[in-house]
Amino acid sequence: MRKKIYAVLFCITFLTASFITVQGSDIPNPNIKQHFDLLYKQIIGPIPGEMKNDELPIRYEITPSFEVYYNEPEPVTLDDNIIALINQVDEELLLNYLENLTAFGPRVTGTSACEEAGEYIYNEFVNLGLEVRYQEWENGGFSGKNIEATMHGVDNSSNEIYIICAHYDSVSTSPGADDDGSGVAAVMASAKLMSTFLTYHTVRFVTFSGEEQGLYGSLHYVEEALENNDNIVAVLNADMIGFAETPEDASYVKIFEDEESEWLTNYTEDISQQYNDFIGIEVIPSGYSWGSDHYYFWQAGYNAIFYFEYNYNDYYHTSGDTIEHMDLNYAAKNSKLILATLAEISELTTQQSPNKPVKPNGEINGKYGEEYKYTTITTDPQNDEIFYFFDWGDGTDSGWVGPFDSGVTVEASHKWTEKGSYSIRVKA
Ligand SMILES: [Zn+2]
């Protein structure tokens, strides 16, 4: 592993914290943990790309229980901010992520290399000031963690969620540079660049493990999303987007879709055309494939597309799946396309970050079940209106509240339901 300075640059830029200790007796957690069928120990690993069969040989049934609601996306327009955003995606940025990821060795789910790679991704997300969590899963005798970073949308009337995802595990025979270091690098670069902006809708940056054993991480993620009635409008899954041998290979990307997700293929195709001068990649709609983490989103009734290299990697699942055998310029083009798609569809906005708000001011001792008020204040360099976000430390938050004028004291209140010590954080 490379010891980089990132660990030191822990980002406290947007966050300040206070603490509260809440007294009283424990209320048992009402959440029932989902357990999965452990019957299928032998599963044929998913193979990305065109499928000979049209279904995963052994699969779990997921019944869609929730209807996704969304407004038709605005027609794609060239946005200066998005051009500025994607112009920052280059070979150097991706190389840094790829070197760090491959330095752990093969990231086989359940090994310490995979665990450490997960911690690396987690810390990078935290350093960006994003809300980050591990999601643990168990299945088929395997266990692992997904990592999810969330950027809450500023439009509180929207419950739309947009996801960019990739898998950070690899097979034992491979350093997993292209499969799927390339996708993870795209997710991490997108998080880094988008976190300096705001979006109207909520965006989640997700990396899964357990993909190579049978899409276990993403299966668990989808199950939980359904349980929570998450209104996931679109999922952009990147798995193997960095291999090209000829200039022709490097000019195309394949997109796999199911019938309901066709609009999303059309949308990203539009993006590639409108932003052609800045991306330089042509979309080849390629039909159906079960071979990666988008699959269970489809099963659940969510819309998802799968970005995949035009020329299938010659070194797939071998020791030759290295950075040296990748075309980083091609990886950058695909990453730009995915990032531009995500930024347009989640409605990136330009508001520059206001100054750091003061520590939340209010009670530091209380009783559970009672409501407490906290105040904070900050200013904006451009005197723009300001949105605030309180994290109550108990897994809940205020969402973005506002807008407020610069320099005006803002109040928010919360009830804790269990005794404990909570860190209250606010960002603006
Ligand atoms: Zn893969």
Side-chain angles (χ1 to χ4, degrees):
M1 170 173 47
R2 278 152 194 272
K3 294 224 155 97
K4 293 252 161 140
I5 325 169
Y6 61 77
V8 188
L9 293 176
F10 186 84
C11 173
I12 343 168
T13 334
F14 310 112
L15 289 174
T16 52
S18 284
F19 295 90
I20 183 170
T21 306
V22 181
Q23 304 294 333
S25 59
D26 284 319
I27 296 170
N29 185 343
N31 291 340
I32 301 153
K33 282 232 160 149
Q34 194 115 22
H35 292 285
F36 291 111
D37 193 349
L38 298 177
L39 276 177
Y40 304 118
K41 295 236 160 103
Q42 292 288 318
I43 190 161
I44 301 163
I47 311 150
E50 282 133 311
M51 294 298 106
K52 294 207 171 60
N53 308 315
D54 63 358
E55 277 183 0
L56 203 61
I58 297 167
R59 64 186 171 90
Y60 295 85
E61 292 294 339
I62 295 181
T63 314
S65 60
F66 181 71
E67 204 164 324
V68 175
Y69 175 78
Y70 65 99
N71 293 307
E72 278 292 311
E74 301 280 324
V76 173
T77 51
L78 264 183
D79 181 314
D80 286 342
N81 290 300
I82 295 177
I83 293 168
L85 193 71
I86 62 178
N87 277 343
Q88 294 175 71
V89 179
D90 58 19
E91 296 180 34
E92 205 188 326
L93 177 65
L94 299 179
L95 180 63
N96 174 54
Y97 295 130
L98 285 165
E99 284 181 339
N100 287 330
L101 284 166
T102 52
F104 296 108
R107 305 178 298 280
V108 181
T109 298
T111 64
S112 59
C114 188
E115 181 91 2
E116 284 165 21
E119 278 168 27
Y120 161 65
I121 298 165
Y122 182 97
N123 289 331
E124 287 286 306
F125 285 154
V126 168
N127 293 347
L128 298 171
L130 296 170
E131 184 183 305
V132 193
R133 69 171 179 127
Y134 284 118
Q135 180 191 46
E136 295 186 18
W137 57 265
E138 248 179 66
N139 199 346
F142 295 93
S143 63
K145 288 172 185 166
N146 301 324
I147 299 131
E148 176 197 68
T150 302
M151 248 179 92
H152 293 274
V154 292
D155 179 357
N156 276 336
S157 67
S158 165
N159 67 351
E160 296 178 24
I161 298 167
Y162 295 88
I163 290 179
I164 178 175
C165 63
H167 71 89
Y168 71 93
D169 64 312
S170 75
V171 294
S172 60
T173 46
S174 163
D178 187 33
D179 185 11
D180 183 23
S182 63
V184 174
V187 173
M188 295 176 79
S190 299
K192 179 186 167 74
L193 298 171
M194 282 184 73
S195 63
T196 60
F197 288 85
L198 296 174
T199 50
Y200 277 94
H201 308 292
T202 292
V203 175
R204 292 184 191 163
F205 306 90
V206 186
T207 61
F208 301 113
S209 59
E211 197 269 357
E212 300 288 3
Q213 283 74 33
L215 314 175
Y216 288 157
S218 51
L219 167 62
H220 188 83
Y221 190 90
V222 169
E223 290 269 4
E224 192 191 285
L226 277 179
E227 229 183 313
N228 294 339
N229 284 354
D230 284 353
N231 193 42
I232 299 167
V233 175
V235 177
L236 310 178
N237 176 36
D239 191 359
M240 299 173 70
I241 55 167
F243 181 80
E245 282 178 310
T246 66
E248 200 208 347
D249 296 347
S251 322
Y252 301 104
V253 61
K254 290 183 173 174
I255 307 283
F256 296 92
E257 65 189 22
D258 69 350
E259 216 172 294
E260 285 73 38
S261 308
E262 205 186 323
W263 67 273
L264 203 46
T265 304
N266 296 338
Y267 189 83
T268 202
E269 205 171 1
D270 256 21
I271 296 271
S272 73
Q273 286 159 5
Q274 299 262 4
Y275 290 84
N276 184 47
D277 291 350
F278 309 96
I279 298 177
I281 201 106
E282 200 175 312
V283 167
I284 310 286
S286 302
Y288 185 88
S289 162
W290 50 256
S292 187
D293 289 314
H294 55 283
Y295 175 75
Y296 283 113
F297 287 97
W298 285 348
Q299 292 289 299
Y302 291 124
N303 293 166
I305 49 174
F306 166 31
Y307 294 79
F308 184 69
E309 59 212 9
Y310 183 65
N311 178 359
Y312 201 111
N313 195 325
D314 293 345
Y315 304 95
Y316 172 67
H317 284 189
T318 71
S319 58
D321 181 8
T322 58
I323 300 171
E324 290 67 36
H325 286 139
M326 286 174 66
D327 178 338
L328 290 184
N329 184 260
Y330 179 57
K333 284 190 203 176
N334 286 326
S335 302
K336 285 177 187 190
L337 171 65
I338 301 167
L339 172 56
T341 305
L342 182 67
E344 277 260 5
I345 205 162
S346 63
E347 296 185 58
L348 188 87
T349 117
T350 55
Q351 189 182 325
Q352 234 197 12
S353 291
N355 297 315
K356 189 167 109 175
V358 302
K359 262 197 334 193
N361 185 26
E363 273 305 323
I364 56 163
N365 283 298
K367 286 190 175 151
Y368 73 80
E370 282 188 26
E371 195 166 83
Y372 295 97
K373 275 183 200 158
Y374 294 86
T375 59
T376 186
I377 187 169
T378 191
T379 52
D380 182 84
Q382 275 78 45
N383 225 21
D384 284 339
E385 290 178 322
I386 301 172
F387 289 88
Y388 292 85
F389 186 98
F390 289 83
D391 179 338
W392 301 117
D394 60 355
T396 70
D397 56 63
S398 64
W400 284 102
V401 292
F404 297 95
D405 286 338
S406 179
V408 165
T409 299
V410 172
E411 188 179 278
S413 46
H414 186 61
K415 253 186 230 176
W416 283 267
T417 54
E418 281 177 45
K419 79 171 179 184
S421 186
Y422 301 97
S423 160
I424 307 158
R425 306 190 298 169
V426 64
K427 57 183 175 178

